[in-house]
Amino acid sequence: MIKYTGVSISPPAWARHAILLFFILCTLAVNAQKKITGKVTEDGTSQPVFGASIQVKGTTRGAITDEKGQFSLSVNPGDKLLVSSMEFESQEVTVGAENTIHIVLKKSTAGLNEVVIIGYGTVKKKDLTGSIATLKGGDIKTEGASNVSRALQGKLAGVTVEAAGGDPGAGMRILVRGVGTFNNANPLYLVDGVQVNNINNIAPGDIESMDVLKDASAAAIYGSRAANGVVLVTTKSGKNGPPVIQFNANFGSQKLIKKYDVLNAQEWATVSNMAHDNAGLARLDIAANPNQLGAGTDWQDAIYRTAMMQQYNLSVSGGTEHTRYSFSGQYNDQDGIVDVTGYKRYGIREKTETTKGRLKVGQSLILTRENWTKMPGGWGGQGGNPVGSAVKMIPVFNIYDENAIGGYSGASGPVVNVANPVAQLHLEDITTNVTSIIANAFAELTILPELKYKFNLGYTDAFISHKDYTRRYEVGGLFANPTNNLAQASNRYNLVMAENTLNYAKDFGKHSFQALAGYAYQKYVRDSSASAKNDLADGISELDNGAIISAVSGNKLVSTLVSLLGRVIYSYDNRYLLTASFRRDGSSRFAPAYRYGNFPSIAAGWNISNEKFWSLSPASVSMLKLRGSYGILGNQEFDDYGYAAVINSNINYVNGNQSKWFGAIQTTYASPYLKWENTETVDVGIDAAFLHDKLTLTADYFRKNTTDLLLKVPIPGSAGSAADPFVNGGNILNKGVEMGIGYNDKVGAVSYSVRGTFSSIKNKVLALGTGTQQIAGGQPTHHGADATLTQAGGEIAAFYLIKSLGIFQSQEEIDAYKGKDGQLIQPSAKPGDIKFFDANGDGTISNADRLDMGSSFPSFEYGLGINLNAYNFDLNLFLQGTQGNKIYNGLRQDLEGMNLEYNYARTTLNAWTPTNTNTDMPRAVIDDPNFNARTSSRFLENGSYFRFKTLQLGYTVPTRLLERAKISSLRAYLSADNLFTITKYKGFNPDIGRSGSILDRGVDFGHVSYPLARTLSVGIQLSL
């Protein structure tokens, strides 16, 4: 027998038995796990619920239902399944012995289970206390819109969306609850949490949802950037399940909706001769024989065309229990209705998310390339761009001249220098290319089941290159360019942001609690450069081909923002709700002593319908919630380094010895006391549902008061500054009501829904600068006076105009129109001239007689959407419009002036003559001494309109016909956009949305016009 006296490595008997028992139990547990299948349907309709989440409670295992509402999942007997889906009440189901589970979900009251994005997190609609407008990706998808912001127009209460022009690829101007600043009034845009300048390059098919934060309770978590509202765009994520392939294609044609009705050659000569005769001037040689001229050149027909467009979007998405993915690509090709112009957009997007134990990581990346071919802005003449020139170009002149340099004819002689618009389009090549990157990456660690830490890193980069190549030409007798010229410019916008947040969420009993704390940092850099050369050889449009350097410049701007943020959301028994948030921002755009601003908010809600005393039947009122909020938002959107003095170092002086002394001079004053614009917002709202939730209503009243407005205050030139300094010197009040209403029902095989929005917003300037400061804006013509004025006591950019009182019919009327001292008020007037109101009674007509004549802001705006579904057909209509706004028609001011030598509107054929006195068109007279065409109320028009914006008819192929081809769904549709517009406005389009300064709003400046198009298209939407 051998004895071993070393240390034994064998476990004791009890341990061996325990290990054996452990493995047996594990084996049993593994063997106990089984795979179940199930189906989720809607209560009452038995319709499958697509995209419902099935989660094994306490684990990361889960599944998502497919289009048929089906799912499969590995579970253990006794596991609890958490079943949830937007707009449905959540359920908890215990797994038993069955292998197939049928789950029926009830519609939640007014979609209260729907998740709403609120910034740095989400909240269920039932717990929402702020004012948020939401648009789902499906609402955008059905329209087939090429631009995301266009799809928003009229669909969100309190959100004004207006065209920034009809140019292909042009975006929209979005205003949230009015205008509270004279600087950048755009909302803050965030795509998957990353700040961007705009959302025009995001493919509509890539969007999961868009949420607009309107009041301080919702937006204050973004602090200094949120005064103009916040637009949150969430792109699509993959869902647990096999890969899903979706393909969307759209083909369409666009046509000009409306041309200006101008004179042909014979008619123009007739009016021109009349204008010269009335002025006592010799007639133009080109108008000597009107009857021999015929129709002449139709310049508008020469530049407009039927333009084609096409869009494609391909996506692949799916996932497992641990990883989800979504990839997509887009291509958009849109010709402009103005010849030569066009827009192309290419893009790819990918978004992934992976969970491993307590760690979740994810990222998203959007790459886009946009190419514009644009029309010239003007050649220095008075026609402006080709659209403006086409209506003012005299029809007597021809388009082409094969003997001219460049091959084009044009105006000559004693006429206004309006350029040949066809020559403009073909002799000047203007292209703009934008390459954009939007990147986001995050890591989220679950420290405790209730506590999560998240690090989010965002990056955006936009590189813009602009090229303007002008060939040598001689166009008529008024335009010549002896050499080929090239100008190039580039801008690069770069933003890096890093955010650290802790999020705590806990439900205990009747209490629900969420808390958020975080730190954020962002840095913004802009680099710009420009160069130009002249005298290039023919055929090569590169800078090295030029002989003369005409311009070189470059600059760089840098700004940073650091922030502390926090939010608490509390709910008791689904009855009493409270949200409080706070953000402290520090911005380098302000002097060190004023860099930090505090932006708090608080909101409360009361679900009255959840109270025990609530006794109304769901057939009448099924849900009622009251909410209110108060908070302060900020705005830092003004020039970088506005607090500092600017020094120009290129100031040189030649001394008596003919040598150069190099020097520098201060060109702007420092404003070291600049601080934040503060916007104080009060909101009171109601959410309600009626008739078993068939009818829903959301209504809000808000008051938004902006103080410490950042604006430039004029100083005397003798102060030695070339620019006016910024000061905190203004106060603007916006207040209004907004309402959204919806109705859903089903009658037999027909289901339908109706959605409507209504907004009424008023603004008032309470203080401005020193108290007497006036800011003019909105120049309507090349030579006309400004049409708008902003001053304390009035509205932003109110129309201040000289009032037109009609037409003098006789010399006696002119002689009787006298001032208080007996002098003639309009001594240069003749019968047939306009009579203007001497508002200040000084006996003369001047800009001092301008009166407040109305506003470009509507009394109210509205939208109405109707959706019908029956027998696999669907019909979607959307109507939209405004009421009570005015537009100053600058192009009509030119065309009905009859005082300058270019073409006129057809209405001038009815000009006043001694035998034609029953007219509102004054006499035609060149060099008009009475200034009938001055900026006045004569050209101010009713801008209200009603637009049939979208009509779409679709057909979804029945599933049974697609199963053999392995196709999940296939829908084809016909669509019409901008079908017709009812309006009294005489211009191209009442939804002018002139880009640039808010002070130009409502002024239709013909020099920069690009009409909207009517679009007819066909499309398919395919899923595999």
Side-chain angles (χ1 to χ4, degrees):
M1 184 176 181
I2 301 174
K3 294 183 178 180
Y4 179 66
T5 58
V7 179
S8 173
I9 59 173
S10 299
W14 66 267
R16 293 197 298 270
H17 296 156
I19 293 172
L20 179 61
L21 180 61
F22 173 77
F23 281 112
I24 293 174
L25 292 175
C26 287
T27 303
L28 291 174
V30 171
N31 292 334
Q33 194 174 68
K34 62 179 181 178
K35 190 171 186 177
I36 63 169
T37 60
K39 186 173 184 179
V40 181
T41 59
E42 179 182 343
D43 184 36
T45 68
S46 298
Q47 293 294 316
V49 177
F50 170 67
S53 172
I54 318 296
Q55 192 75 29
V56 179
K57 190 174 182 179
T59 74
T60 59
R61 302 197 311 274
I64 300 292
T65 58
D66 60 18
E67 290 87 349
K68 298 178 182 179
Q70 297 174 348
F71 70 93
S72 62
L73 186 63
S74 295
V75 297
N76 294 314
D79 279 349
K80 296 184 183 298
L81 303 182
L82 301 177
V83 186
S84 62
S85 180
M86 289 191 299
E87 300 184 3
F88 292 90
E89 294 181 2
S90 298
Q91 271 199 46
E92 184 173 301
V93 178
T94 302
V95 176
E98 68 273 28
N99 294 321
T100 302
I101 298 177
H102 185 201
I103 303 169
V104 179
L105 295 182
K106 293 182 178 180
K107 274 274 190 180
S108 68
T109 304
L112 294 183
N113 211 43
E114 179 181 342
V115 174
V116 179
I117 308 295
I118 57 172
Y120 301 101
T122 61
V123 66
K124 289 185 178 180
K125 192 174 180 181
K126 65 182 180 181
D127 296 329
L128 188 64
T129 56
S131 181
I132 297 178
T134 298
L135 190 68
K136 296 301 179 185
D139 300 325
I140 302 173
K141 176 182 176 182
T142 56
E143 256 190 46
S146 61
N147 183 284
V148 173
S149 51
R150 289 185 187 276
L152 293 177
Q153 193 170 36
K155 292 184 173 65
L156 303 176
V159 181
T160 299
V161 182
E162 52 194 20
D167 316 48
M172 308 287 281
R173 177 154 66 182
I174 298 178
L175 301 175
V176 178
R177 288 187 166 179
V179 178
T181 182
F182 297 141
N183 300 296
N184 186 347
N186 295 330
L188 169 67
Y189 296 104
L190 293 156
V191 177
D192 289 337
V194 182
Q195 181 178 339
V196 296
N197 288 332
N198 61 67
I199 55 175
N200 298 323
N201 62 337
I202 307 298
D206 287 339
I207 292 179
E208 182 71 33
S209 67
M210 296 182 67
D211 298 272
V212 181
L213 314 184
K214 297 184 290 184
D215 73 334
S217 169
I221 198 67
Y222 291 107
S224 64
R225 301 170 293 164
N228 300 321
V230 182
V231 178
L232 304 177
V233 177
T234 303
T235 61
K236 291 181 177 178
S237 300
K239 296 179 180 179
N240 192 358
V244 176
I245 300 175
Q246 294 182 319
F247 175 71
N248 300 327
N250 180 278
F251 313 87
S253 67
Q254 309 158 90
K255 279 192 173 183
L256 178 69
I257 298 174
K258 174 184 179 181
K259 292 198 305 182
Y260 260 92
D261 198 5
V262 295
L263 302 177
N264 64 28
Q266 179 180 337
E267 293 164 340
W268 169 80
T270 301
V271 175
S272 175
N273 290 338
M274 184 191 309
H276 284 79
D277 293 345
N278 288 336
L281 299 173
R283 295 181 176 185
L284 295 177
D285 291 341
I286 55 176
N289 299 296
N291 295 331
Q292 298 178 11
L293 295 175
T297 303
D298 189 325
W299 291 101
Q300 292 184 89
D301 276 356
I303 69 165
Y304 292 115
R305 63 181 177 180
T306 298
M308 305 306 294
M309 61 179 292
Q310 53 185 323
Q311 305 170 61
Y312 305 93
N313 187 273
L314 176 66
S315 66
V316 180
S317 63
T320 65
E321 294 181 10
H322 302 291
T323 300
R324 298 176 184 179
Y325 60 88
S326 176
F327 304 97
S328 66
Q330 59 160 311
Y331 173 70
N332 186 311
D333 186 354
Q334 180 184 5
D335 292 332
I337 58 173
V338 175
D339 194 20
V340 175
T341 62
Y343 170 74
K344 291 184 179 180
R345 184 176 71 226
Y346 317 80
I348 58 174
R349 180 190 67 90
E350 60 96 8
K351 188 175 185 180
T352 62
E353 182 180 294
T354 299
T355 301
K356 182 68 173 177
R358 294 187 176 189
L359 182 65
K360 179 192 292 185
V361 295
Q363 55 81 41
S364 63
L365 178 66
I366 302 174
L367 304 176
T368 56
R369 171 77 170 184
E370 299 172 275
N371 302 328
W372 280 269
T373 301
K374 299 184 176 182
M375 61 179 173
W379 278 0
Q382 296 190 40
N385 67 13
V387 170
S389 295
V391 295
K392 290 194 282 186
M393 186 67 175
I394 295 173
V396 170
F397 299 116
N398 296 320
I399 298 176
Y400 303 104
D401 180 359
E402 61 182 14
N403 297 317
I405 300 173
Y408 291 91
S409 182
S412 60
V415 297
V416 173
N417 54 345
V418 175
N420 176 339
V422 181
Q424 286 180 290
L425 290 169
H426 292 275
L427 292 176
E428 185 173 0
D429 300 336
I430 301 178
T431 57
T432 300
N433 300 317
V434 180
T435 303
S436 302
I437 300 172
I438 305 173
N440 171 256
F442 74 88
E444 183 178 83
L445 178 65
T446 301
I447 302 172
L448 299 171
E450 303 86 7
L451 181 64
K452 297 179 180 180
Y453 164 76
K454 185 175 183 180
F455 174 71
N456 192 69
L457 182 65
Y459 174 81
T460 64
D461 196 302
F463 181 78
I464 304 170
S465 62
H466 180 79
K467 189 173 183 178
D468 188 339
Y469 174 66
T470 306
R471 298 172 181 83
R472 57 192 184 94
Y473 59 76
E474 186 175 315
V475 177
L478 304 177
F479 293 92
N481 185 54
T483 67
N484 300 310
N485 306 325
L486 176 63
Q488 292 186 173
S490 65
N491 288 277
R492 185 173 182 179
Y493 301 89
N494 178 278
L495 182 140
V496 176
M497 55 186 291
E499 298 168 331
N500 296 270
T501 55
L502 278 173
N503 207 317
Y504 179 85
K506 179 71 174 178
D507 294 339
F508 44 97
K510 296 182 179 182
H511 305 271
S512 178
F513 180 80
Q514 290 186 45
L516 169 75
Y519 169 80
Y521 167 87
Q522 76 172 44
K523 182 178 181 180
Y524 176 81
V525 180
R526 175 190 172 187
D527 281 298
S528 61
S529 64
S531 56
K533 274 189 175 183
N534 299 337
D535 201 15
L536 281 74
D538 292 343
I540 303 177
S541 57
E542 301 298 335
L543 282 176
D544 281 351
N545 187 30
I548 303 172
I549 298 175
S550 58
V552 176
S553 64
N555 206 343
K556 184 175 184 177
L557 302 173
V558 180
S559 62
T560 58
L561 184 74
V562 293
S563 310
L564 295 173
L565 56 101
R567 179 176 59 216
V568 173
I569 301 175
Y570 172 74
S571 170
Y572 175 73
D573 198 23
N574 289 325
R575 290 183 290 162
Y576 310 119
L577 315 170
L578 179 69
T579 302
S581 64
F582 177 82
R583 182 162 179 140
R584 179 174 172 82
D585 282 333
S587 172
S588 66
R589 290 184 175 176
F590 301 94
Y594 295 93
R595 282 185 174 163
Y596 288 90
N598 300 318
F599 307 101
S601 76
I602 189 168
W606 181 23
N607 281 316
I608 303 176
S609 53
N610 288 343
E611 292 286 358
K612 294 181 180 179
F613 61 74
W614 184 261
S615 59
L616 293 179
S617 166
S620 54
V621 182
S622 48
M623 189 274 290
L624 179 63
K625 179 171 73 174
L626 299 179
R627 49 185 169 75
S629 69
Y630 168 82
I632 297 174
L633 304 171
N635 186 20
Q636 60 152 359
E637 296 304 316
F638 77 112
D639 296 349
D640 286 306
Y641 315 121
Y643 66 89
V646 175
I647 305 297
N648 188 337
S649 60
N650 296 316
I651 306 299
N652 303 318
Y653 177 76
V654 179
N655 61 24
N657 296 323
Q658 298 302 305
S659 61
K660 186 184 292 185
W661 287 348
F662 296 94
I665 190 172
Q666 179 176 330
T667 55
T668 60
Y669 275 134
S671 299
Y673 305 109
L674 288 180
K675 55 185 178 180
W676 303 87
E677 287 184 355
N678 282 318
T679 299
E680 184 182 71
T681 298
V682 176
D683 184 280
V684 178
I686 181 174
D687 300 322
F690 311 88
L691 309 176
H692 290 293
D693 306 334
K694 293 179 181 178
L695 177 64
T696 59
L697 170 70
T698 297
D700 284 84
Y701 167 81
F702 70 89
R703 187 178 185 274
K704 189 167 77 169
N705 186 28
T706 302
T707 57
D708 294 325
L709 197 71
L710 288 163
L711 74 157
K712 290 186 175 182
V713 173
I715 59 176
S718 58
S721 175
D724 297 329
F726 272 103
V727 300
N728 292 103
N731 185 190
I732 296 176
L733 176 66
N734 282 271
K735 58 183 179 180
V737 295
E738 57 194 37
M739 181 173 64
I741 191 168
Y743 186 81
N744 299 273
D745 202 1
K746 187 173 184 179
V747 179
V750 180
S751 60
Y752 63 92
S753 65
V754 181
R755 294 286 182 273
T757 61
F758 173 90
S759 304
S760 178
I761 302 171
K762 294 294 182 184
N763 71 77
K764 185 176 182 179
V765 180
L766 302 180
L768 196 63
T770 59
T772 59
Q773 182 179 358
Q774 296 178 328
I775 303 177
Q779 183 179 357
T781 69
H782 181 78
H783 46 75
D786 291 324
T788 72
L789 196 67
T790 302
Q791 61 183 353
E795 290 186 82
I796 296 174
F799 290 113
Y800 272 79
L801 303 166
I802 297 171
K803 186 176 182 179
S804 170
L805 298 176
I807 295 177
F808 286 118
Q809 297 294 336
S810 65
Q811 186 63 44
E812 289 75 18
E813 289 185 22
I814 297 170
D815 295 339
Y817 191 38
K818 297 180 178 180
K820 58 184 178 180
D821 297 327
Q823 75 275 29
L824 292 179
I825 294 176
Q826 293 179 241
S828 299
K830 299 294 182 183
D833 283 339
I834 298 291
K835 180 181 181 180
F836 297 105
F837 180 47
D838 179 21
N840 65 354
D842 66 353
T844 60
I845 302 299
S846 68
N847 280 342
D849 293 310
R850 291 187 297 176
L851 298 172
D852 187 348
M853 304 295 290
S855 173
S856 64
F857 293 91
S859 301
F860 63 87
E861 51 191 311
Y862 56 89
L864 178 66
I866 302 172
N867 301 314
L868 301 171
N869 291 272
Y871 306 105
N872 295 103
F873 286 96
D874 60 88
L875 181 67
N876 303 296
L877 301 89
F878 190 74
L879 316 170
Q880 172 262 333
T882 67
Q883 183 65 39
N885 58 302
K886 295 185 177 181
I887 301 174
Y888 192 93
N889 194 334
L891 205 49
R892 187 165 73 86
Q893 182 176 356
D894 281 332
L895 297 176
E896 293 186 356
M898 299 176 289
N899 61 321
L900 296 173
E901 310 283 8
Y902 44 60
N903 201 8
Y904 311 124
R906 184 169 299 278
T907 51
T908 60
L909 293 172
N910 193 35
W912 188 97
T913 67
T915 58
N916 182 39
T917 59
N918 187 24
T919 178
D920 60 357
M921 186 64 58
R923 69 184 182 125
V925 54
I926 292 296
D927 298 332
D928 171 24
N930 190 59
F931 303 109
N932 292 321
R934 74 170 79 227
T935 301
S936 71
S937 65
R938 176 185 166 194
F939 306 106
L940 187 65
E941 301 182 23
N942 185 345
S944 304
Y945 70 91
F946 168 83
R947 174 173 295 149
F948 198 141
K949 191 173 187 297
T950 304
L951 172 64
Q952 188 179 108
L953 175 64
Y955 178 74
T956 301
V957 179
T959 304
R960 66 180 184 277
L961 301 179
L962 302 173
E963 290 178 347
R964 183 170 296 180
K966 305 297 182 181
I967 296 175
S968 298
S969 65
L970 175 62
R971 176 178 179 264
Y973 62 88
L974 299 172
S975 185
D977 192 46
N978 294 330
L979 205 60
F980 65 80
T981 302
I982 299 174
T983 182
K984 294 182 179 180
Y985 182 61
K986 300 174 183 177
F988 283 123
N989 167 42
D991 177 29
I992 58 173
R994 178 174 172 179
S995 59
S997 171
I998 197 68
L999 302 176
D1000 297 332
R1001 192 175 192 273
V1003 178
D1004 197 344
F1005 185 37
H1007 272 42
V1008 295
S1009 293
Y1010 197 120
L1012 286 182
R1014 178 181 293 118
T1015 303
L1016 302 177
S1017 64
V1018 297
I1020 59 169
Q1021 296 167 343
L1022 172 69
S1023 293
L1024 300 177

